[in-house]
Structures are given as structure tokens and as C-alpha cells.
Amino acid sequence: EPEVTQTPSHQVTQMGQEVILRCVPISNHLYFYWYRQILGQKVEFLVSFYNNEISEKSEIFDDQFSVERPDGSNFTLKIRSTKLEDSAMYFCASSGGARGSYEQYFGPGTRLTVT
Amino acid sequence: AQSVAQPEDQVNVAEGNPLTVKCTYSVSGNPYLFWYVQYPNRGLQFLLKYITGDNLVKGSYGFEAEFNKSQTSFHLKKPSALVSDSALYFCAVRDFDNFNKFYFGSGTKLNVKP
């Protein structure tokens, strides 16, 4: 069964450093998402991406965040200058259909620890 | 503003008994509602969704959910709980105006005891 993969599984970085979280969505999916989950809290929408551009973004997704689909398979989330409060689990997801009516398939997550 | 609420942080049920995990929503227009399950150290897995049609939606692993428009609820149910159902359950709703934006509830931890 196809699945979404994410690398690395755990990333430790120092405050102020840039990090890139990588995801490989399911190959025939068209919509891609990033979410974050701070330990013990709710899953928060960050951004959705379609047709090589951002479709929607939340208030959390400020100028320090960016997303890219550099080739036909990878989908990345870059955090330019990490802060302590960026420590969280980051999930990538993909979906095959339009207008939010299709279920999303989530990757296993990357745990980001900012020290 | 669109949102979902899961009023219970934790639900405890004995194996073999029916279970209900509650979710209420607030959204303008017709809601698109989803349930996901998260096992430890794993990503979320889709269980079921309501888009339109029958108010009772059947999903994976014997789960079902009932959409109730008057009560703005979408409770997850299962007639007979299994120990392996123990996990974290999230309700989610699509933003009515922004089709690729979703709101998740805070999650409910389901504990099924043998």
C-alpha cells in the first residue's frame, strides 16, 4: 500500500538555525499539507500546496516558513530561523482529490527539537 | 470561525462494550467532517468522513459516526470495543471558505481495558 514518508524522523537543531523537513507524498496525489503537533496538544494546520503553489496557510505559517516541491516527488518545509517554540512533531500529508473532500494520508512525522 | 471541539480528553471503556467519542463542530455552511486515529509514534490514519448523504457513515475497523446537524455533532462510535482500539482520536473539519484548510480537535485518548 502506498504511504507518505518523512525524513528525518528526529531533528535536533540550535535556535536560529535553518532546518528542512522532507516528505515524499503518495505518487499520484495532487494536494500536499504540513501540520504540526506540539507535544500533548492539537494537530495544527500550517499550509496546503497544490499545482506548485500555496493553496491555503494558517496564521502560524509566517515568513520564517516556506514550502517547496523541488522535483516530482519531494515536498519540503523549511524553517529559516528556528525558535524554541518551533519544537514539535511535524506531519506531512497528501490527498488525491479536490476541494477538501478527500481524506488525507499522513506520514509518520518528524520530531523537531530546538535547543 | 470554523472549529471542532472534542469535549473529552479521555474515554475509558471495557472491551466488548460500545464506545462513543464525541465531536461537535462550528462551521458556516455544510460541513465536511473527518475522523482520524493516531497510534503511538505514528502519523494519523483516516477512519471515515461525512461529506453529504446518509447521516450514519461507516468507516474502517468497524467504526461509524453519526452526523447530527441540529446538534452540530459528529460522534464516533463502535458497537464493541477492542483493546487494540486504544489510541488517540481526532475529529477534523474543512474550512468552508478555504477548501484546503482543515481544523483538528484537541484529540481524545481512548483506553479500552480487557
Side-chain angles (χ1 to χ4, degrees):
Chain A
E1 185 177 328
E3 58 182 18
V4 176
T5 59
Q6 290 184 244
T7 54
S9 57
H10 191 191
Q11 173 91 49
V12 181
T13 190
Q14 288 190 327
M15 194 167 53
Q17 296 296 305
E18 175 183 286
V19 294
I20 298 176
L21 309 183
R22 301 179 194 279
C23 168
V24 179
I26 293 173
S27 62
N28 62 347
H29 282 183
L30 302 175
Y31 294 81
F32 314 114
Y33 308 84
W34 282 103
Y35 293 86
R36 80 173 183 191
Q37 185 181 31
I38 296 171
L39 187 63
Q41 298 186 27
K42 66 166 65 177
V43 174
E44 298 175 293
F45 171 85
L46 291 178
V47 67
S48 58
F49 192 87
Y50 169 69
N51 200 25
N52 280 324
E53 60 183 23
I54 289 174
S55 176
E56 314 287 355
K57 61 182 181 178
S58 72
E59 301 74 23
I60 302 168
F61 194 87
D62 60 22
D63 291 344
Q64 71 160 340
F65 291 94
S66 62
V67 289
E68 193 178 32
R69 189 155 161 82
D71 53 42
S73 59
N74 290 286
F75 179 50
T76 62
L77 174 69
K78 182 193 289 187
I79 308 175
R80 264 181 264 286
S81 177
T82 50
K83 305 174 198 159
L84 293 176
E85 54 265 37
D86 293 327
S87 294
M89 184 73 92
Y90 288 81
F91 292 106
C92 172
S94 70
S95 145
R99 301 179 73 81
S101 63
Y102 284 69
E103 57 271 26
Q104 295 171 52
Y105 291 78
F106 284 76
T110 293
R111 181 172 299 283
L112 177 64
T113 302
V114 183
T115 62
Chain B
Q2 272 100 161
S3 65
V4 289
Q6 295 180 243
E8 300 156 319
D9 290 337
Q10 187 166 296
V11 169
N12 299 311
V13 66
E15 188 175 31
N17 283 359
L19 68 88
T20 298
V21 182
K22 295 180 181 176
C23 172
T24 57
Y25 66 89
S26 172
V27 65
S28 50
N30 293 323
Y32 285 14
L33 294 157
F34 302 80
W35 274 103
Y36 289 86
V37 59
Q38 184 181 32
Y39 296 100
N41 302 313
R42 302 282 298 274
L44 281 70
Q45 294 178 35
F46 169 77
L47 279 179
L48 50 79
K49 65 183 177 185
Y50 173 82
I51 304 299
T52 186
D54 288 342
N55 290 341
L56 186 64
V57 178
K58 293 190 184 298
S60 307
Y61 313 121
F63 283 94
E64 56 190 30
E66 186 170 10
F67 172 67
N68 187 317
K69 189 170 183 177
S70 62
Q71 297 186 4
T72 62
S73 67
F74 188 56
H75 300 333
L76 182 70
K77 300 182 180 188
K78 187 173 182 181
S80 178
L82 299 173
V83 172
S84 56
D85 292 330
S86 298
L88 195 54
Y89 290 80
F90 290 94
C91 181
V93 68
R94 189 203 74 173
D95 189 294
F96 181 72
D97 297 312
N98 302 295
F99 298 145
N100 280 310
K101 187 174 185 180
F102 295 83
Y103 300 92
F104 280 73
S106 53
T108 298
K109 187 176 181 195
L110 174 66
N111 296 313
V112 182
K113 297 204 163 45

PDB file of all heavy atoms in Angstrom, chain A residues 30-59:
ATOM      1  N   LEU A  30      -2.268  14.998  -5.469  1.00  0.00           N
ATOM      2  CA  LEU A  30      -2.108  16.334  -6.022  1.00  0.00           C
ATOM      3  C   LEU A  30      -2.033  17.425  -4.961  1.00  0.00           C
ATOM      4  O   LEU A  30      -1.579  18.529  -5.247  1.00  0.00           O
ATOM      5  CB  LEU A  30      -3.283  16.647  -6.951  1.00  0.00           C
ATOM      6  CG  LEU A  30      -3.490  15.680  -8.124  1.00  0.00           C
ATOM      7  CD1 LEU A  30      -4.766  16.045  -8.873  1.00  0.00           C
ATOM      8  CD2 LEU A  30      -2.288  15.728  -9.068  1.00  0.00           C
ATOM      9  N   TYR A  31      -2.511  17.111  -3.763  1.00  0.00           N
ATOM     10  CA  TYR A  31      -2.592  18.117  -2.712  1.00  0.00           C
ATOM     11  C   TYR A  31      -1.680  17.700  -1.573  1.00  0.00           C
ATOM     12  O   TYR A  31      -1.691  16.544  -1.161  1.00  0.00           O
ATOM     13  CB  TYR A  31      -4.035  18.257  -2.211  1.00  0.00           C
ATOM     14  CG  TYR A  31      -4.960  18.811  -3.247  1.00  0.00           C
ATOM     15  CD1 TYR A  31      -5.489  17.990  -4.232  1.00  0.00           C
ATOM     16  CD2 TYR A  31      -5.280  20.159  -3.268  1.00  0.00           C
ATOM     17  CE1 TYR A  31      -6.318  18.496  -5.213  1.00  0.00           C
ATOM     18  CE2 TYR A  31      -6.121  20.676  -4.240  1.00  0.00           C
ATOM     19  CZ  TYR A  31      -6.624  19.846  -5.212  1.00  0.00           C
ATOM     20  OH  TYR A  31      -7.443  20.355  -6.180  1.00  0.00           O
ATOM     21  N   PHE A  32      -0.946  18.658  -1.044  1.00  0.00           N
ATOM     22  CA  PHE A  32       0.045  18.354  -0.025  1.00  0.00           C
ATOM     23  C   PHE A  32      -0.120  19.323   1.134  1.00  0.00           C
ATOM     24  O   PHE A  32      -0.497  20.489   0.928  1.00  0.00           O
ATOM     25  CB  PHE A  32       1.461  18.447  -0.619  1.00  0.00           C
ATOM     26  CG  PHE A  32       1.582  17.752  -1.938  1.00  0.00           C
ATOM     27  CD1 PHE A  32       1.839  18.468  -3.100  1.00  0.00           C
ATOM     28  CD2 PHE A  32       1.421  16.380  -2.030  1.00  0.00           C
ATOM     29  CE1 PHE A  32       1.933  17.825  -4.324  1.00  0.00           C
ATOM     30  CE2 PHE A  32       1.508  15.731  -3.256  1.00  0.00           C
ATOM     31  CZ  PHE A  32       1.756  16.463  -4.402  1.00  0.00           C
ATOM     32  N   TYR A  33       0.186  18.816   2.315  1.00  0.00           N
ATOM     33  CA  TYR A  33      -0.081  19.582   3.532  1.00  0.00           C
ATOM     34  C   TYR A  33       1.059  19.408   4.525  1.00  0.00           C
ATOM     35  O   TYR A  33       1.726  18.373   4.562  1.00  0.00           O
ATOM     36  CB  TYR A  33      -1.358  19.075   4.212  1.00  0.00           C
ATOM     37  CG  TYR A  33      -2.571  19.004   3.319  1.00  0.00           C
ATOM     38  CD1 TYR A  33      -2.795  17.902   2.501  1.00  0.00           C
ATOM     39  CD2 TYR A  33      -3.499  20.043   3.295  1.00  0.00           C
ATOM     40  CE1 TYR A  33      -3.905  17.838   1.676  1.00  0.00           C
ATOM     41  CE2 TYR A  33      -4.610  19.975   2.480  1.00  0.00           C
ATOM     42  CZ  TYR A  33      -4.815  18.876   1.676  1.00  0.00           C
ATOM     43  OH  TYR A  33      -5.914  18.813   0.859  1.00  0.00           O
ATOM     44  N   TRP A  34       1.235  20.423   5.346  1.00  0.00           N
ATOM     45  CA  TRP A  34       2.070  20.313   6.538  1.00  0.00           C
ATOM     46  C   TRP A  34       1.233  20.700   7.749  1.00  0.00           C
ATOM     47  O   TRP A  34       0.483  21.691   7.722  1.00  0.00           O
ATOM     48  CB  TRP A  34       3.301  21.223   6.461  1.00  0.00           C
ATOM     49  CG  TRP A  34       4.400  20.690   5.602  1.00  0.00           C
ATOM     50  CD1 TRP A  34       4.728  21.082   4.341  1.00  0.00           C
ATOM     51  CD2 TRP A  34       5.338  19.665   5.950  1.00  0.00           C
ATOM     52  NE1 TRP A  34       5.798  20.367   3.875  1.00  0.00           N
ATOM     53  CE2 TRP A  34       6.193  19.490   4.841  1.00  0.00           C
ATOM     54  CE3 TRP A  34       5.556  18.876   7.088  1.00  0.00           C
ATOM     55  CZ2 TRP A  34       7.240  18.564   4.831  1.00  0.00           C
ATOM     56  CZ3 TRP A  34       6.590  17.967   7.076  1.00  0.00           C
ATOM     57  CH2 TRP A  34       7.414  17.817   5.960  1.00  0.00           C
ATOM     58  N   TYR A  35       1.407  19.895   8.802  1.00  0.00           N
ATOM     59  CA  TYR A  35       0.775  20.144  10.089  1.00  0.00           C
ATOM     60  C   TYR A  35       1.851  20.063  11.160  1.00  0.00           C
ATOM     61  O   TYR A  35       2.892  19.439  10.962  1.00  0.00           O
ATOM     62  CB  TYR A  35      -0.265  19.063  10.407  1.00  0.00           C
ATOM     63  CG  TYR A  35      -1.475  19.055   9.518  1.00  0.00           C
ATOM     64  CD1 TYR A  35      -1.469  18.357   8.312  1.00  0.00           C
ATOM     65  CD2 TYR A  35      -2.640  19.725   9.892  1.00  0.00           C
ATOM     66  CE1 TYR A  35      -2.597  18.341   7.495  1.00  0.00           C
ATOM     67  CE2 TYR A  35      -3.765  19.706   9.075  1.00  0.00           C
ATOM     68  CZ  TYR A  35      -3.730  19.004   7.887  1.00  0.00           C
ATOM     69  OH  TYR A  35      -4.845  18.990   7.086  1.00  0.00           O
ATOM     70  N   ARG A  36       1.547  20.660  12.299  1.00  0.00           N
ATOM     71  CA  ARG A  36       2.440  20.445  13.435  1.00  0.00           C
ATOM     72  C   ARG A  36       1.620  20.078  14.663  1.00  0.00           C
ATOM     73  O   ARG A  36       0.441  20.433  14.787  1.00  0.00           O
ATOM     74  CB  ARG A  36       3.317  21.665  13.705  1.00  0.00           C
ATOM     75  CG  ARG A  36       2.638  22.761  14.469  1.00  0.00           C
ATOM     76  CD  ARG A  36       3.584  23.862  14.862  1.00  0.00           C
ATOM     77  NE  ARG A  36       2.890  24.865  15.661  1.00  0.00           N
ATOM     78  CZ  ARG A  36       3.385  26.043  15.976  1.00  0.00           C
ATOM     79  NH1 ARG A  36       4.605  26.379  15.560  1.00  0.00           N
ATOM     80  NH2 ARG A  36       2.696  26.879  16.712  1.00  0.00           N
ATOM     81  N   GLN A  37       2.262  19.354  15.548  1.00  0.00           N
ATOM     82  CA  GLN A  37       1.615  18.938  16.795  1.00  0.00           C
ATOM     83  C   GLN A  37       2.611  19.145  17.922  1.00  0.00           C
ATOM     84  O   GLN A  37       3.580  18.388  18.050  1.00  0.00           O
ATOM     85  CB  GLN A  37       1.182  17.478  16.701  1.00  0.00           C
ATOM     86  CG  GLN A  37       0.400  16.981  17.907  1.00  0.00           C
ATOM     87  CD  GLN A  37       0.005  15.517  17.767  1.00  0.00           C
ATOM     88  OE1 GLN A  37       0.684  14.716  17.147  1.00  0.00           O
ATOM     89  NE2 GLN A  37      -1.132  15.152  18.361  1.00  0.00           N
ATOM     90  N   ILE A  38       2.398  20.185  18.677  1.00  0.00           N
ATOM     91  CA  ILE A  38       3.205  20.404  19.866  1.00  0.00           C
ATOM     92  C   ILE A  38       2.817  19.343  20.877  1.00  0.00           C
ATOM     93  O   ILE A  38       1.640  18.983  20.984  1.00  0.00           O
ATOM     94  CB  ILE A  38       3.005  21.827  20.409  1.00  0.00           C
ATOM     95  CG1 ILE A  38       3.528  22.830  19.370  1.00  0.00           C
ATOM     96  CG2 ILE A  38       3.691  22.023  21.743  1.00  0.00           C
ATOM     97  CD1 ILE A  38       3.203  24.276  19.673  1.00  0.00           C
ATOM     98  N   LEU A  39       3.785  18.850  21.611  1.00  0.00           N
ATOM     99  CA  LEU A  39       3.575  17.713  22.498  1.00  0.00           C
ATOM    100  C   LEU A  39       2.327  17.876  23.353  1.00  0.00           C
ATOM    101  O   LEU A  39       2.180  18.855  24.092  1.00  0.00           O
ATOM    102  CB  LEU A  39       4.807  17.527  23.385  1.00  0.00           C
ATOM    103  CG  LEU A  39       4.803  16.283  24.259  1.00  0.00           C
ATOM    104  CD1 LEU A  39       4.792  15.025  23.407  1.00  0.00           C
ATOM    105  CD2 LEU A  39       6.004  16.276  25.206  1.00  0.00           C
ATOM    106  N   GLY A  40       1.428  16.910  23.224  1.00  0.00           N
ATOM    107  CA  GLY A  40       0.226  16.902  24.058  1.00  0.00           C
ATOM    108  C   GLY A  40      -0.868  17.845  23.606  1.00  0.00           C
ATOM    109  O   GLY A  40      -1.894  17.964  24.278  1.00  0.00           O
ATOM    110  N   GLN A  41      -0.656  18.508  22.471  1.00  0.00           N
ATOM    111  CA  GLN A  41      -1.657  19.473  22.019  1.00  0.00           C
ATOM    112  C   GLN A  41      -2.280  19.037  20.698  1.00  0.00           C
ATOM    113  O   GLN A  41      -1.983  17.969  20.178  1.00  0.00           O
ATOM    114  CB  GLN A  41      -1.015  20.855  21.902  1.00  0.00           C
ATOM    115  CG  GLN A  41      -0.486  21.374  23.234  1.00  0.00           C
ATOM    116  CD  GLN A  41       0.006  22.802  23.141  1.00  0.00           C
ATOM    117  OE1 GLN A  41      -0.446  23.579  22.300  1.00  0.00           O
ATOM    118  NE2 GLN A  41       0.927  23.150  24.015  1.00  0.00           N
ATOM    119  N   LYS A  42      -3.129  19.877  20.181  1.00  0.00           N
ATOM    120  CA  LYS A  42      -3.882  19.504  18.987  1.00  0.00           C
ATOM    121  C   LYS A  42      -2.998  19.561  17.752  1.00  0.00           C
ATOM    122  O   LYS A  42      -1.939  20.193  17.730  1.00  0.00           O
ATOM    123  CB  LYS A  42      -5.084  20.418  18.809  1.00  0.00           C
ATOM    124  CG  LYS A  42      -4.751  21.859  18.524  1.00  0.00           C
ATOM    125  CD  LYS A  42      -5.963  22.641  18.034  1.00  0.00           C
ATOM    126  CE  LYS A  42      -7.032  22.761  19.069  1.00  0.00           C
ATOM    127  NZ  LYS A  42      -8.182  23.581  18.594  1.00  0.00           N
ATOM    128  N   VAL A  43      -3.460  18.910  16.724  1.00  0.00           N
ATOM    129  CA  VAL A  43      -2.815  18.980  15.416  1.00  0.00           C
ATOM    130  C   VAL A  43      -3.218  20.307  14.771  1.00  0.00           C
ATOM    131  O   VAL A  43      -4.400  20.624  14.666  1.00  0.00           O
ATOM    132  CB  VAL A  43      -3.264  17.800  14.540  1.00  0.00           C
ATOM    133  CG1 VAL A  43      -2.716  17.935  13.136  1.00  0.00           C
ATOM    134  CG2 VAL A  43      -2.824  16.481  15.166  1.00  0.00           C
ATOM    135  N   GLU A  44      -2.215  21.067  14.338  1.00  0.00           N
ATOM    136  CA  GLU A  44      -2.474  22.406  13.790  1.00  0.00           C
ATOM    137  C   GLU A  44      -2.100  22.445  12.308  1.00  0.00           C
ATOM    138  O   GLU A  44      -0.990  22.065  11.924  1.00  0.00           O
ATOM    139  CB  GLU A  44      -1.645  23.458  14.524  1.00  0.00           C
ATOM    140  CG  GLU A  44      -1.953  23.579  16.002  1.00  0.00           C
ATOM    141  CD  GLU A  44      -1.004  24.548  16.688  1.00  0.00           C
ATOM    142  OE1 GLU A  44       0.200  24.246  16.773  1.00  0.00           O
ATOM    143  OE2 GLU A  44      -1.484  25.607  17.160  1.00  0.00           O
ATOM    144  N   PHE A  45      -3.011  22.924  11.505  1.00  0.00           N
ATOM    145  CA  PHE A  45      -2.772  23.120  10.078  1.00  0.00           C
ATOM    146  C   PHE A  45      -1.744  24.228   9.880  1.00  0.00           C
ATOM    147  O   PHE A  45      -1.841  25.296  10.487  1.00  0.00           O
ATOM    148  CB  PHE A  45      -4.088  23.479   9.405  1.00  0.00           C
ATOM    149  CG  PHE A  45      -3.975  23.914   7.979  1.00  0.00           C
ATOM    150  CD1 PHE A  45      -3.935  22.982   6.956  1.00  0.00           C
ATOM    151  CD2 PHE A  45      -3.934  25.263   7.656  1.00  0.00           C
ATOM    152  CE1 PHE A  45      -3.841  23.390   5.636  1.00  0.00           C
ATOM    153  CE2 PHE A  45      -3.853  25.676   6.342  1.00  0.00           C
ATOM    154  CZ  PHE A  45      -3.808  24.738   5.328  1.00  0.00           C
ATOM    155  N   LEU A  46      -0.775  23.960   9.025  1.00  0.00           N
ATOM    156  CA  LEU A  46       0.190  25.000   8.662  1.00  0.00           C
ATOM    157  C   LEU A  46      -0.074  25.529   7.258  1.00  0.00           C
ATOM    158  O   LEU A  46      -0.238  26.729   7.052  1.00  0.00           O
ATOM    159  CB  LEU A  46       1.622  24.450   8.716  1.00  0.00           C
ATOM    160  CG  LEU A  46       2.181  24.116  10.093  1.00  0.00           C
ATOM    161  CD1 LEU A  46       3.586  23.531   9.964  1.00  0.00           C
ATOM    162  CD2 LEU A  46       2.212  25.348  10.976  1.00  0.00           C
ATOM    163  N   VAL A  47      -0.094  24.612   6.288  1.00  0.00           N
ATOM    164  CA  VAL A  47      -0.136  25.048   4.898  1.00  0.00           C
ATOM    165  C   VAL A  47      -0.624  23.920   4.009  1.00  0.00           C
ATOM    166  O   VAL A  47      -0.446  22.748   4.322  1.00  0.00           O
ATOM    167  CB  VAL A  47       1.273  25.519   4.458  1.00  0.00           C
ATOM    168  CG1 VAL A  47       2.238  24.338   4.430  1.00  0.00           C
ATOM    169  CG2 VAL A  47       1.253  26.245   3.127  1.00  0.00           C
ATOM    170  N   SER A  48      -1.286  24.285   2.910  1.00  0.00           N
ATOM    171  CA  SER A  48      -1.607  23.330   1.863  1.00  0.00           C
ATOM    172  C   SER A  48      -1.003  23.824   0.557  1.00  0.00           C
ATOM    173  O   SER A  48      -0.791  25.034   0.371  1.00  0.00           O
ATOM    174  CB  SER A  48      -3.112  23.119   1.731  1.00  0.00           C
ATOM    175  OG  SER A  48      -3.767  24.344   1.460  1.00  0.00           O
ATOM    176  N   PHE A  49      -0.762  22.898  -0.346  1.00  0.00           N
ATOM    177  CA  PHE A  49       0.027  23.185  -1.555  1.00  0.00           C
ATOM    178  C   PHE A  49      -0.581  22.423  -2.695  1.00  0.00           C
ATOM    179  O   PHE A  49      -0.861  21.226  -2.595  1.00  0.00           O
ATOM    180  CB  PHE A  49       1.462  22.723  -1.286  1.00  0.00           C
ATOM    181  CG  PHE A  49       2.486  23.164  -2.277  1.00  0.00           C
ATOM    182  CD1 PHE A  49       3.108  24.384  -2.135  1.00  0.00           C
ATOM    183  CD2 PHE A  49       2.877  22.336  -3.327  1.00  0.00           C
ATOM    184  CE1 PHE A  49       4.099  24.791  -3.016  1.00  0.00           C
ATOM    185  CE2 PHE A  49       3.853  22.729  -4.210  1.00  0.00           C
ATOM    186  CZ  PHE A  49       4.479  23.959  -4.062  1.00  0.00           C
ATOM    187  N   TYR A  50      -0.800  23.130  -3.802  1.00  0.00           N
ATOM    188  CA  TYR A  50      -1.380  22.491  -4.987  1.00  0.00           C
ATOM    189  C   TYR A  50      -0.857  23.182  -6.224  1.00  0.00           C
ATOM    190  O   TYR A  50      -0.731  24.414  -6.253  1.00  0.00           O
ATOM    191  CB  TYR A  50      -2.913  22.584  -4.924  1.00  0.00           C
ATOM    192  CG  TYR A  50      -3.607  22.189  -6.205  1.00  0.00           C
ATOM    193  CD1 TYR A  50      -3.597  20.874  -6.636  1.00  0.00           C
ATOM    194  CD2 TYR A  50      -4.257  23.140  -6.995  1.00  0.00           C
ATOM    195  CE1 TYR A  50      -4.217  20.501  -7.822  1.00  0.00           C
ATOM    196  CE2 TYR A  50      -4.874  22.776  -8.172  1.00  0.00           C
ATOM    197  CZ  TYR A  50      -4.859  21.457  -8.580  1.00  0.00           C
ATOM    198  OH  TYR A  50      -5.469  21.091  -9.750  1.00  0.00           O
ATOM    199  N   ASN A  51      -0.548  22.406  -7.214  1.00  0.00           N
ATOM    200  CA  ASN A  51      -0.141  22.964  -8.505  1.00  0.00           C
ATOM    201  C   ASN A  51       1.048  23.911  -8.342  1.00  0.00           C
ATOM    202  O   ASN A  51       1.082  25.006  -8.925  1.00  0.00           O
ATOM    203  CB  ASN A  51      -1.326  23.688  -9.153  1.00  0.00           C
ATOM    204  CG  ASN A  51      -1.159  23.858 -10.639  1.00  0.00           C
ATOM    205  OD1 ASN A  51      -0.439  23.095 -11.290  1.00  0.00           O
ATOM    206  ND2 ASN A  51      -1.794  24.894 -11.184  1.00  0.00           N
ATOM    207  N   ASN A  52       1.979  23.494  -7.493  1.00  0.00           N
ATOM    208  CA  ASN A  52       3.229  24.226  -7.288  1.00  0.00           C
ATOM    209  C   ASN A  52       3.079  25.583  -6.634  1.00  0.00           C
ATOM    210  O   ASN A  52       3.944  26.455  -6.805  1.00  0.00           O
ATOM    211  CB  ASN A  52       4.000  24.381  -8.602  1.00  0.00           C
ATOM    212  CG  ASN A  52       4.761  23.126  -8.958  1.00  0.00           C
ATOM    213  OD1 ASN A  52       5.282  22.442  -8.075  1.00  0.00           O
ATOM    214  ND2 ASN A  52       4.815  22.810 -10.229  1.00  0.00           N
ATOM    215  N   GLU A  53       1.993  25.752  -5.895  1.00  0.00           N
ATOM    216  CA  GLU A  53       1.889  26.977  -5.132  1.00  0.00           C
ATOM    217  C   GLU A  53       1.063  26.740  -3.866  1.00  0.00           C
ATOM    218  O   GLU A  53       0.320  25.769  -3.783  1.00  0.00           O
ATOM    219  CB  GLU A  53       1.289  28.111  -5.962  1.00  0.00           C
ATOM    220  CG  GLU A  53      -0.104  27.841  -6.479  1.00  0.00           C
ATOM    221  CD  GLU A  53      -0.603  28.980  -7.344  1.00  0.00           C
ATOM    222  OE1 GLU A  53       0.223  29.737  -7.889  1.00  0.00           O
ATOM    223  OE2 GLU A  53      -1.825  29.128  -7.469  1.00  0.00           O
ATOM    224  N   ILE A  54       1.239  27.644  -2.922  1.00  0.00           N
ATOM    225  CA  ILE A  54       0.488  27.536  -1.679  1.00  0.00           C
ATOM    226  C   ILE A  54      -0.988  27.766  -1.960  1.00  0.00           C
ATOM    227  O   ILE A  54      -1.367  28.743  -2.630  1.00  0.00           O
ATOM    228  CB  ILE A  54       1.015  28.543  -0.644  1.00  0.00           C
ATOM    229  CG1 ILE A  54       2.407  28.105  -0.156  1.00  0.00           C
ATOM    230  CG2 ILE A  54       0.057  28.675   0.527  1.00  0.00           C
ATOM    231  CD1 ILE A  54       3.074  29.105   0.765  1.00  0.00           C
ATOM    232  N   SER A  55      -1.814  26.854  -1.456  1.00  0.00           N
ATOM    233  CA  SER A  55      -3.254  26.956  -1.611  1.00  0.00           C
ATOM    234  C   SER A  55      -3.876  27.701  -0.436  1.00  0.00           C
ATOM    235  O   SER A  55      -4.655  28.637  -0.621  1.00  0.00           O
ATOM    236  CB  SER A  55      -3.845  25.546  -1.743  1.00  0.00           C
ATOM    237  OG  SER A  55      -5.236  25.587  -1.813  1.00  0.00           O
ATOM    238  N   GLU A  56      -3.533  27.270   0.756  1.00  0.00           N
ATOM    239  CA  GLU A  56      -4.003  27.938   1.968  1.00  0.00           C
ATOM    240  C   GLU A  56      -2.872  27.925   2.987  1.00  0.00           C
ATOM    241  O   GLU A  56      -2.022  27.048   2.960  1.00  0.00           O
ATOM    242  CB  GLU A  56      -5.204  27.205   2.595  1.00  0.00           C
ATOM    243  CG  GLU A  56      -6.314  26.793   1.644  1.00  0.00           C
ATOM    244  CD  GLU A  56      -7.141  27.956   1.177  1.00  0.00           C
ATOM    245  OE1 GLU A  56      -6.925  29.087   1.653  1.00  0.00           O
ATOM    246  OE2 GLU A  56      -7.999  27.748   0.313  1.00  0.00           O
ATOM    247  N   LYS A  57      -2.906  28.860   3.907  1.00  0.00           N
ATOM    248  CA  LYS A  57      -1.956  28.826   5.010  1.00  0.00           C
ATOM    249  C   LYS A  57      -2.609  29.394   6.258  1.00  0.00           C
ATOM    250  O   LYS A  57      -3.561  30.166   6.183  1.00  0.00           O
ATOM    251  CB  LYS A  57      -0.675  29.591   4.675  1.00  0.00           C
ATOM    252  CG  LYS A  57      -0.879  31.057   4.372  1.00  0.00           C
ATOM    253  CD  LYS A  57       0.470  31.699   4.008  1.00  0.00           C
ATOM    254  CE  LYS A  57       0.276  33.180   3.735  1.00  0.00           C
ATOM    255  NZ  LYS A  57       1.561  33.843   3.420  1.00  0.00           N
ATOM    256  N   SER A  58      -2.079  28.968   7.389  1.00  0.00           N
ATOM    257  CA  SER A  58      -2.629  29.429   8.663  1.00  0.00           C
ATOM    258  C   SER A  58      -1.824  30.621   9.168  1.00  0.00           C
ATOM    259  O   SER A  58      -0.789  30.990   8.594  1.00  0.00           O
ATOM    260  CB  SER A  58      -2.587  28.299   9.686  1.00  0.00           C
ATOM    261  OG  SER A  58      -1.251  28.064  10.100  1.00  0.00           O
ATOM    262  N   GLU A  59      -2.302  31.166  10.267  1.00  0.00           N
ATOM    263  CA  GLU A  59      -1.619  32.314  10.881  1.00  0.00           C
ATOM    264  C   GLU A  59      -0.241  31.907  11.401  1.00  0.00           C
ATOM    265  O   GLU A  59       0.652  32.738  11.547  1.00  0.00           O
ATOM    266  CB  GLU A  59      -2.458  32.866  12.036  1.00  0.00           C
ATOM    267  CG  GLU A  59      -3.859  33.339  11.652  1.00  0.00           C
ATOM    268  CD  GLU A  59      -4.824  32.198  11.384  1.00  0.00           C
ATOM    269  OE1 GLU A  59      -4.602  31.064  11.886  1.00  0.00           O
ATOM    270  OE2 GLU A  59      -5.810  32.432  10.654  1.00  0.00           O
TER     271      GLU A  59
END
